[in-house]
Amino acid sequence: MQAVALYPDGPELRVIEAADPVPSDDEVLVRTRRVGIDGSDRRIVAGDIGGDPPDGADHLVIGHEAVGVVEDPNGSDFETGDVVVPMVRRPTDETSRFAETGELDMAPPGTFSECGITGAHGYMAEYFTADPEYLVPVPDSLADYGIFVEPASIAEKALDQSFAARSGFDWRPETAFVLGNGNLGLLAIARLSTGEEFDRTYCLGRRDRPDPTIEFVESVGATYVDSRETELPEFPDVYEPADFVFETTGYPRHAIDAVGALGPNGIVTLQGIPGDSTFEVEGGGFHSDLVVNNKGVLGVVNSRRPHFEAAVEWLQTVPTAVLDDLVSGIYAVEEVEDALLDGDETIKTVVSFEK
Amino acid sequence: MQAVALYPDGPELRVIEAADPVPSDDEVLVRTRRVGIDGSDRRIVAGDIGGDPPDGADHLVIGHEAVGVVEDPNGSDFETGDVVVPMVRRPTDETSRFAETGELDMAPPGTFSECGITGAHGYMAEYFTADPEYLVPVPDSLADYGIFVEPASIAEKALDQSFAARSGFDWRPETAFVLGNGNLGLLAIARLSTGEEFDRTYCLGRRDRPDPTIEFVESVGATYVDSRETELPEFPDVYEPADFVFETTGYPRHAIDAVGALGPNGIVTLQGIPGDSTFEVEGGGFHSDLVVNNKGVLGVVNSRRPHFEAAVEWLQTVPTAVLDDLVSGIYAVEEVEDALLDGDETIKTVVSFEK
């Protein structure tokens, strides 16, 4: 079968001919339909993060946002033809209590591998195998759009954690603010704008009109905020205080400045993973503002089955035209280098294995 | 009656002879037994924070950590002689939804006054009046120790908010770390060391032995950590990662550095309220550490009735010898200036109105 493999030396990306995977006793064989590409794939291929091959292998098959069809249920409860989305993390120690409780997203670094990211092959191949406990069923109507389940599950986890964090009182949020208009930011603004949790939504970017991301933000009913005109701490005065901020930029000042965009009792969730960066902050005000306004900041990484399931629920409510607007290009596997290019017109690119 | 009044010009603190308060229809008359002093009282008296007199008054009666005895129930469900502790916040708008739900601790700044802190008279007077909804009943056994209910309620709120924040998964915390060995820090380390939530506890200070605060920390079974020897981000390596950090120092670097003391999935609660302070931070690492380890930071201010009630529950379980160790001096009202002094031997000072 064809597979997209990253060789660590270089690093070098190649489309290789690999042996078709053979499912072990506990595994299902899945035929891949589509694999989405996000910013972390670009960083992996560039050698910036992750990219470790599985033990004993000389390459890593990339891709972690996939949708496929069950080819061989192999004794599981799945049936041939079922549409499925695979989850990302696998325990390196099966007896880990996070593996037992299905909360690998909360497991400490070093106790798991991440398929297509580091330590375990991903899904950018004609076939992959997976234990059924890591496959989430998806309705046929999402066979093309299942690539959005994994990234949307991150937004679901952020919401889940934030509402949990505010469950100690009668929280009544009204406004949500997404930082960043990359593919995760746009998917999140769609989720938050079309969901029930918030009345008004905003999305931060730094683009001039006309721009497809600004058009998308406005098409889902959100307000575009230009970061060149409005600094985060000015957001409450220029627009209104945010009850929930969802950060996707990986810009390290946002971990501090986003607190200033919140109203009382608000929550920031951070999703970006920046490298080292030293800078000056007005740390006294950051500290006091958190306290006197009962604000909170939560780091959020990865997601678990209920978040995948919530994402599937949400995606079924979204007009396919909205999701189509997020796909800026569909590529054959031989065109993967093009799919990995990033530009002003790029939102979500997809590698398709459909013939 | 005698009252301790802060006049904003100067500011100047005086023991005055004031008219005995007359309860309005909805109010209970309380005879004050004791009033505790904390760091914010010292900052109020120094003119650094709060200190605004109530509308129309030329002075503010200070004191917000009080215990008293009902002198006149005035038609309420209380009986004469009941021991009570007053809560701190009062709504400036009775129709505020935070007043309605009893969650004034979560109300936005500007919508409440704080008795003895700003905008409403406190309790350092022979008598005070209060609506019964702001009085928490205390058993007679705590008549002397009721001054600890209000500060202990802050620790209860921090625990409540933190466990809520981690209710989105199966959190299994083991270790708690209190930053600061002032009177709130010591009360918190007693709470966390004697409670059920954590197996091991640590308290940060910067004192040389022999020292009464170090003795107290060790007497409740906690480990003393000298901040001159161990920087917060080194804490996990030198000791062990903390699951819960309770900050009481008001040192603004702690809002950043405490995240480094946490293990995966840990929560920092901030309680201190520093002034402005600009400094350099490794903000990229702060941001990434929060994300990849699912850490959180919560600001916590004030507390509400369930937190007061939890504090009363806990105080009933604590040997009075432990609480006695926290009281470094009991002063008559005429000695209030001495009670406000702070030194290496000072833990909690108390002004007593008992004759």
Side-chain angles (χ1 to χ4, degrees):
Chain A
M1 66 170 185
Q2 283 186 302
V4 179
L6 181 72
Y7 289 81
D9 288 344
E12 187 191 357
L13 195 72
R14 290 188 225 157
V15 178
I16 63 172
E17 190 62 34
D20 284 2
V22 178
S24 68
D25 282 355
D26 297 329
E27 287 184 331
V28 173
L29 179 66
V30 180
R31 181 167 47 79
T32 309
R33 279 181 63 86
R34 292 182 166 194
V35 182
I37 288 174
D38 75 357
S40 48
D41 293 310
R42 296 190 175 92
R43 292 171 74 185
I44 293 161
V45 169
D48 294 338
I49 61 171
D52 292 340
D55 283 348
D58 64 354
H59 67 276
L60 174 78
V61 175
I62 66 167
H64 63 278
E65 301 177 352
V67 60
V69 173
V70 172
E71 179 89 4
D72 178 1
N74 197 22
S76 71
D77 293 338
F78 285 105
E79 293 183 11
T80 303
D82 282 353
V83 183
V84 292
V85 166
M87 295 166 69
V88 176
R89 287 191 176 174
R90 302 290 184 275
T92 47
D93 172 7
E94 283 286 349
T95 66
S96 143
R97 68 118 167 152
F98 295 98
E100 281 170 13
T101 58
E103 294 176 337
L104 280 173
D105 61 309
M106 304 306 284
T111 67
F112 54 80
S113 52
E114 293 187 313
C115 296
I117 297 175
T118 196
H121 285 317
Y123 311 119
M124 203 176 283
E126 285 178 80
Y127 296 94
F128 63 86
T129 60
D131 193 303
E133 73 176 294
Y134 300 115
L135 292 175
V136 178
V138 168
D140 292 352
S141 62
L142 293 181
D144 282 347
Y145 302 103
I147 52 156
F148 290 114
V149 172
E150 193 277 338
S153 76
I154 306 296
E156 296 294 345
K157 175 174 172 182
L159 284 171
D160 184 39
Q161 296 284 308
S162 298
F163 277 86
R166 303 286 80 173
S167 64
F169 73 107
D170 179 16
W171 194 39
R172 301 180 192 177
E174 295 180 6
T175 58
F177 185 16
V178 172
L179 308 186
N181 53 349
N183 63 77
L184 180 58
L186 293 182
L187 190 62
I189 197 68
R191 167 64 182 83
L192 299 173
S193 299
T194 61
E196 297 292 312
E197 295 87 354
F198 304 99
D199 299 330
R200 295 173 303 284
T201 52
Y202 299 85
C203 186
L204 188 78
R206 42 191 305 118
R207 298 273 194 98
D208 294 316
R209 299 170 190 268
D211 176 81
T213 68
I214 300 174
E215 280 166 29
F216 183 82
V217 166
E218 294 177 345
S219 77
V220 296
T223 300
Y224 174 68
V225 177
D226 191 319
S227 66
R228 297 165 298 185
E229 291 165 11
T230 307
E231 302 269 337
L232 286 189
E234 297 164 6
F235 177 78
D237 287 337
V238 177
Y239 296 92
E240 59 177 326
D243 296 308
F244 174 62
V245 172
F246 182 84
E247 176 273 334
T248 71
T249 58
Y251 179 54
R253 281 197 179 274
H254 282 170
I256 306 286
D257 287 352
V259 171
L262 292 175
N265 308 330
I267 291 283
V268 171
T269 66
L270 302 175
Q271 280 73 221
I273 306 179
D276 289 353
S277 173
T278 298
F279 48 88
E280 240 181 28
V281 296
E282 206 294 81
F286 171 70
H287 189 148
S288 298
D289 181 20
L290 279 161
V291 174
V292 302
N293 290 300
N294 285 292
K295 296 179 178 181
V297 180
L298 300 175
V300 169
V301 72
N302 196 251
S303 57
R304 73 191 87 114
R305 179 173 289 272
H307 308 135
F308 274 70
E309 291 170 345
V312 170
E313 285 292 308
W314 170 65
L315 284 164
Q316 291 179 265
T317 71
V318 183
T320 53
V322 171
L323 301 175
D324 287 335
D325 282 347
L326 289 173
V327 177
S328 57
I330 300 177
Y331 298 83
V333 63
E334 296 81 4
E335 302 169 313
V336 63
E337 296 278 4
D338 292 332
L340 282 160
L341 293 176
D342 200 8
D344 277 359
E345 301 292 314
T346 308
I347 302 179
K348 170 68 79 188
T349 56
V350 177
V351 171
S352 174
F353 288 87
E354 298 160 80
K355 302 292 178 189
Chain B
M1 67 168 187
Q2 284 186 302
V4 178
L6 180 72
Y7 290 80
D9 287 346
E12 187 191 355
L13 195 72
R14 289 187 224 158
V15 179
I16 63 170
E17 189 62 34
D20 286 2
V22 178
S24 66
D25 284 354
D26 297 328
E27 287 184 330
V28 173
L29 179 67
V30 180
R31 181 166 48 80
T32 308
R33 278 180 65 87
R34 292 180 166 194
V35 182
I37 288 174
D38 75 357
S40 47
D41 293 310
R42 295 189 174 93
R43 292 172 74 186
I44 293 161
V45 169
D48 293 339
I49 61 169
D52 291 340
D55 283 347
D58 63 354
H59 67 277
L60 175 77
V61 175
I62 67 167
H64 64 277
E65 299 178 353
V67 59
V69 173
V70 172
E71 179 88 3
D72 178 1
N74 197 23
S76 72
D77 293 338
F78 284 106
E79 293 183 11
T80 303
D82 282 354
V83 183
V84 291
V85 165
M87 295 167 68
V88 176
R89 288 192 176 173
R90 301 290 183 276
T92 47
D93 172 4
E94 283 287 350
T95 66
S96 142
R97 69 116 167 153
F98 295 98
E100 280 170 14
T101 58
E103 294 177 335
L104 281 173
D105 61 308
M106 304 305 284
T111 68
F112 54 80
S113 52
E114 293 188 312
C115 296
I117 297 174
T118 197
H121 285 317
Y123 310 120
M124 203 178 281
E126 286 179 78
Y127 296 94
F128 63 86
T129 60
D131 193 303
E133 74 176 294
Y134 299 116
L135 292 174
V136 178
V138 167
D140 291 354
S141 62
L142 293 181
D144 283 347
Y145 303 102
I147 52 154
F148 290 113
V149 172
E150 193 278 337
S153 75
I154 305 296
E156 296 294 347
K157 176 173 172 181
L159 284 171
D160 184 38
Q161 296 284 309
S162 297
F163 277 86
R166 302 286 82 172
S167 64
F169 74 107
D170 179 17
W171 195 39
R172 301 180 192 177
E174 295 180 7
T175 58
F177 186 16
V178 172
L179 308 186
N181 55 347
N183 63 78
L184 179 58
L186 293 182
L187 191 62
I189 196 67
R191 167 64 183 84
L192 299 173
S193 300
T194 61
E196 298 292 312
E197 294 87 354
F198 304 99
D199 299 330
R200 296 172 303 284
T201 52
Y202 299 85
C203 186
L204 187 79
R206 40 192 306 119
R207 299 273 193 96
D208 294 317
R209 298 168 191 271
D211 175 82
T213 69
I214 299 175
E215 282 166 30
F216 182 84
V217 166
E218 293 176 345
S219 76
V220 296
T223 300
Y224 173 69
V225 178
D226 192 319
S227 66
R228 296 165 300 184
E229 292 167 11
T230 308
E231 302 268 339
L232 286 188
E234 297 164 6
F235 177 79
D237 287 336
V238 178
Y239 296 91
E240 59 178 325
D243 297 308
F244 174 62
V245 172
F246 182 83
E247 176 272 336
T248 71
T249 58
Y251 178 54
R253 279 196 180 275
H254 282 170
I256 306 287
D257 287 352
V259 171
L262 292 175
N265 308 333
I267 290 284
V268 172
T269 65
L270 302 174
Q271 281 72 221
I273 306 180
D276 288 353
S277 172
T278 298
F279 49 86
E280 238 181 29
V281 297
E282 206 294 81
F286 171 71
H287 188 147
S288 298
D289 182 19
L290 279 161
V291 173
V292 301
N293 289 299
N294 285 291
K295 296 180 179 181
V297 179
L298 300 174
V300 169
V301 70
N302 197 253
S303 57
R304 70 190 92 112
R305 179 173 290 270
H307 308 134
F308 274 69
E309 291 169 348
V312 170
E313 285 291 309
W314 170 64
L315 285 164
Q316 289 178 266
T317 70
V318 184
T320 54
V322 171
L323 300 175
D324 287 336
D325 282 347
L326 289 173
V327 177
S328 56
I330 301 176
Y331 298 83
V333 64
E334 296 82 2
E335 302 169 313
V336 64
E337 295 279 5
D338 292 333
L340 283 160
L341 293 176
D342 199 9
D344 278 357
E345 301 292 315
T346 308
I347 303 179
K348 172 66 80 186
T349 56
V350 176
V351 171
S352 173
F353 289 85
E354 297 161 79
K355 301 295 177 184

